[in-house]
Amino acid sequence: MPVVYQDLWRDLPAAQQPDWPDPAALDAVRAELGAAVPLVVADECELLKRRLAAVARGEAFPLQGGDCAETFAEATADAVRGKVRTLLQMSLVLTYAASVPVVKVGRMAGQYAKPRSRPTETRGGVTLPAYRGDAVNGFGFTEEQRTPDPRRLQHMHRSAAATLNLVRAFTTGGYADLRQAHAWNQDFVAGSPAGVRYGELADQIDRALTFMKVCGADEAIARAVEFYVSHEGLLLDYEDALTRTDPETGRTYATSGHLLWIGERTRDIDGAHVEYFSRIDNPIAVKLGPTATADQALALIDRLDPEREPGRLTFVVRMGARGVRERLPALVEKVTAEGAPVAWVCDPMHGNTFEAPTGHKTRHFDDVVEEITGFFDVHRGLGTHPGGVHLEFTGEDVTECVGGGDELHFENLAERYESTCDPRLNRSQSLDLAFLIAESYRSR
């Protein structure tokens, strides 16, 4: 039976919510969003759930990635195309090199808010609210910019709609056609190791497609692309306002994205986020960091997936390169023994952030690889399926993470450090990583 939606989360402690200064303005925005057009529909969410059920059975591999935090200024055709292209290229590498179906999920069209470790930021003796993403306040360090403004939630919805329209255009209008594999690669720097390697793989795909055509195989397979969008369901006023009941089934969905996740800082079993997520029928995920215990994981399963619905729940683990082999086995063992059809995904980004000597927040490519390798090793040892990866990357040639095939160093970080929150892999580093993941998957 469908669960009747109620906003009971309002009676519970809600972590990481903005301190909106004008409740009346927030109510007006919520009312407008409540009448707004949904960004996704129930059938799309249910199809993704079926794809993630295949992941839980060990039959597919989810590749989830995109910006740490989207900005309103980057809801442009060029920026969206770059991220879609990078994710398509990575999925192509995984599909062809690892012989596994890839479920493509962008961190896009909703990732405009971020949790913060501290509610305020101090510079030169001046203390202001922390930047919580464009959905809440501005990045500029002024009182006007940093004051939370609920009207930004309306802007978030408009930007998400524009981004999703572009995503759908690029993935259904021929841009994602496999025969475009070489075209996606044209603007790579000539000597890029990842670019050269990708070009060789594209040659192999060209030959395979030619063979299929000669044999009379259906060419539609070259064009078929499913692409989903996801974000952290952090701002509960926004998510609640966009919650809709499907008239056909009576089921309730968050229509802000296909898949939403609960963050490491908001997964309190008695908190508002877990309560809200328990009332929606989307496929959902929960981030589990190094402090997560097996008992907490089991309690989350009971609360969020009491019917043990395949594809409903994904655990995204972020243990850090030096902790994944020690901390992950107990969680996987207990959840597996419980028989819960959970999909396991590795987030190798958030547990490996540090401050460079230059003062930049960064990550080392080798640490990202090491955590993914450890994740695969744990699942290989337990005989379970290493479901997929959850990454922060951009389609641009930024210099935010060190290492990789192009060997970025600390002194390179200032050249193109553009993130407003966490450091992202650039396009070349992302493709390097895709080849390494494919090799690890093949040898599992």
Side-chain angles (χ1 to χ4, degrees):
M1 291 290 293
V3 175
V4 177
Y5 180 73
Q6 297 173 289
D7 60 351
L8 301 179
W9 64 266
R10 294 187 177 281
D11 298 326
L12 300 173
Q16 296 287 334
Q17 301 306 287
D19 185 13
W20 303 111
D22 187 346
L26 176 62
D27 288 343
V29 168
R30 280 179 41 80
E32 181 171 318
L33 291 174
V37 173
L39 298 178
V40 303
V41 297
D43 286 348
E44 295 175 310
C45 298
E46 289 299 321
L47 181 56
L48 176 56
K49 197 182 291 182
R50 292 197 293 274
R51 300 295 183 250
L52 293 173
V55 173
R57 294 193 301 268
E59 299 168 359
F61 189 95
L63 173 63
Q64 184 176 8
D67 276 322
C68 162
E70 295 175 281
T71 64
F72 297 153
E74 291 181 346
T76 65
D78 286 345
V80 174
R81 183 190 295 109
K83 284 177 278 191
V84 169
R85 177 189 58 199
T86 300
L87 199 143
L88 289 175
Q89 288 180 310
M90 294 180 72
S91 68
L92 192 65
V93 170
L94 286 164
T95 301
Y96 197 79
S99 300
V100 59
V102 174
V103 183
K104 293 169 278 294
V105 185
R107 278 178 61 113
M108 301 169 69
Q111 189 61 15
Y112 295 99
K114 289 290 289 182
R116 309 302 295 185
S117 56
R118 291 183 295 274
T120 60
E121 179 183 356
T122 300
R123 298 185 195 175
V126 177
T127 299
L128 294 173
Y131 172 64
R132 290 184 175 273
D134 277 12
V136 177
N137 54 5
F139 187 67
F141 194 73
T142 66
E143 184 174 359
E144 180 181 11
Q145 280 278 299
R146 291 299 178 90
T147 300
D149 182 354
R151 290 173 299 180
R152 286 176 169 267
L153 297 178
Q154 295 168 308
H155 198 164
M156 176 183 180
H157 183 263
R158 292 193 299 270
S159 292
T163 297
L164 191 52
N165 284 341
L166 287 166
V167 167
R168 286 177 167 142
F170 289 135
T171 55
T172 62
Y175 182 76
D177 191 317
L178 285 180
R179 288 163 294 198
Q180 296 291 320
H182 274 301
W184 300 338
N185 196 47
Q186 284 174 352
D187 63 342
F188 256 104
V189 177
S192 167
V196 171
R197 196 172 181 188
Y198 177 83
E200 294 170 351
L201 182 139
D203 285 338
Q204 297 174 35
I205 292 172
D206 281 346
R207 289 193 291 272
L209 290 174
T210 300
F211 176 78
M212 289 166 59
K213 184 176 181 180
V214 170
C215 292
D218 186 358
E219 290 190 29
I221 192 171
R223 299 178 59 90
V225 172
E226 288 180 14
F227 196 106
Y228 303 93
V229 296
S230 66
H231 62 272
E232 180 176 356
L234 183 64
L235 301 178
L236 292 176
D237 284 304
Y238 178 80
E239 303 301 344
D240 180 78
L242 287 171
T243 303
R244 305 283 188 270
T245 298
D246 179 44
E248 301 256 338
T249 64
R251 292 181 177 272
T252 302
Y253 296 86
T255 66
S256 60
H258 299 113
L259 181 148
L260 276 62
W261 73 84
I262 302 173
E264 167 74 357
R265 295 186 176 99
T266 53
R267 58 176 173 80
D268 177 6
I269 195 72
D270 297 316
H273 288 83
V274 170
E275 166 59 30
Y276 171 78
F277 274 67
S278 73
R279 300 278 172 176
I280 59 173
D281 282 289
N282 304 58
I284 60 173
V286 183
K287 290 282 191 82
L288 299 178
T291 63
T293 66
D295 286 342
Q296 288 173 340
L298 294 179
L300 287 165
I301 293 170
D302 286 340
R303 188 79 173 83
L304 296 171
D305 187 24
E307 296 181 7
R308 304 300 194 261
E309 180 184 8
R312 159 67 173 174
L313 183 60
T314 296
F315 280 147
V316 182
V317 293
R318 37 163 292 186
M319 304 293 181
R322 280 158 284 283
V324 63
R325 288 180 173 83
E326 176 186 350
R327 299 185 177 105
L328 182 58
L331 271 66
V332 177
E333 285 180 306
K334 277 207 170 184
V335 169
T336 302
E338 181 71 13
V342 168
W344 293 95
V345 168
C346 175
D347 170 0
M349 309 297 292
H350 288 89
N352 296 305
T353 308
F354 64 96
E355 185 175 315
T358 57
H360 294 89
K361 191 190 229 184
T362 192
R363 292 157 175 156
H364 200 292
F365 184 82
D366 290 350
D367 291 336
V368 173
V369 173
E370 177 60 23
E371 180 157 2
I372 293 174
T373 302
F375 175 80
F376 273 87
D377 287 347
V378 168
H379 283 282
R380 185 182 296 115
L382 295 173
T384 50
H385 180 55
V389 291
H390 180 127
L391 306 169
E392 290 184 343
F393 64 72
T394 176
E396 306 303 319
D397 297 322
V398 298
T399 55
E400 297 171 2
C401 294
V402 295
D406 290 329
E407 276 301 317
L408 289 178
H409 301 286
F410 291 137
E411 54 267 28
N412 299 125
L413 292 174
E415 294 172 8
R416 280 197 64 181
Y417 196 102
E418 299 175 3
S419 175
T420 57
C421 287
D422 291 340
R424 303 160 295 175
L425 299 171
N426 62 31
R427 186 179 175 194
S428 181
Q429 290 168 328
S430 299
L431 274 183
D432 280 336
L433 189 60
F435 280 106
L436 291 169
I437 293 170
E439 290 165 2
S440 293
Y441 191 89
R442 268 203 318 264
S443 63
R444 75 192 193 284

